[in-house]
Amino acid sequence: MRPMLAEDAAAMWEMAQDPEGLDLTGTPPGTLTWERTQEWCASRATADHRLDLATVELATGEWAGEVVLNEYDPTEESANFRIALRGPAWYGRGLGGEATRLMVRHGFEAVGLRRITLDVLARNPRAIRAYEQAGFRRIAERDDDGERWVDMEITPADLRPAPPAGR
């Protein structure tokens, strides 16, 4: 993971065009424009109360997605977690799980958070499994706008070690 750069706009735009990724994150198609994507990537380094990082494959240096801590609440010492991968070529390779574990540890150890939350579509078992492997636990389920969502959270006591290499 590394800071988001203005140069990441083309890869972010590609991710924003992936129908499966948009569907699994509950993002309506056409939400972003190319201009807004460029502005967004260029502004991440100076964004207050959130941390947006690029997920990069170490072997190639290629931009694989984004990982985010947002909705920071200093009173509760909590934040929301969000991750998105660039598209189907990046799914199932372990990058999302690794980025999740790294960002959660960063949130607890460097930022000082006491709780990280997220919500995920109930029909996205791949993501739910990755979150549970990182230590997130289900705290509620709810219906919203015709979709079933799972609310999850993690605290420092829930952290799990990384799986062994070469799984």
Side-chain angles (χ1 to χ4, degrees):
M1 295 184 316
R2 63 157 172 76
M4 191 76 69
L5 305 171
E7 297 80 38
D8 294 326
M12 173 77 79
W13 178 249
E14 179 184 324
M15 183 176 74
Q17 305 312 303
D18 172 43
E20 183 178 5
L22 293 173
D23 176 55
L24 292 176
T25 58
T27 306
T31 301
L32 291 176
T33 64
W34 169 242
E35 293 75 21
R36 181 66 185 120
T37 302
Q38 290 176 302
E39 292 168 6
W40 180 260
C41 289
S43 70
R44 295 306 80 209
T46 58
D48 287 338
H49 295 94
R50 62 181 291 137
L51 177 62
D52 297 77
L53 298 176
T55 301
V56 178
E57 183 180 49
L58 287 178
T60 65
E62 200 169 348
W63 194 93
E66 67 171 344
V67 62
V68 178
L69 287 174
N70 61 6
E71 300 176 18
Y72 174 63
D73 182 337
T75 304
E76 295 292 322
E77 298 176 309
S78 69
N80 179 72
F81 175 79
R82 185 171 63 77
I83 185 170
L85 293 176
R86 189 171 176 179
W90 297 96
Y91 301 160
R93 295 171 51 182
L95 292 169
E98 183 177 356
T100 297
R101 285 187 296 280
L102 289 170
M103 185 63 117
V104 164
R105 283 203 178 278
H106 180 77
F108 292 140
E109 295 171 4
V111 178
L113 298 174
R114 294 181 183 256
R115 183 173 71 112
I116 299 172
T117 61
L118 64 84
D119 56 358
V120 58
L121 284 168
R123 61 183 172 80
N124 190 350
R126 181 176 55 226
I128 292 170
R129 186 172 50 255
Y131 298 142
E132 288 175 338
Q133 288 174 345
F136 279 89
R137 52 195 161 73
R138 298 170 191 233
I139 56 170
E141 289 196 25
R142 61 186 163 75
D143 292 317
D144 187 18
D145 202 21
E147 288 279 8
R148 186 86 174 149
W149 293 85
V150 177
D151 296 328
M152 303 180 85
E153 75 174 12
I154 188 170
T155 65
D158 299 317
L159 284 176
R160 297 196 181 144
R167 341 172 226 158

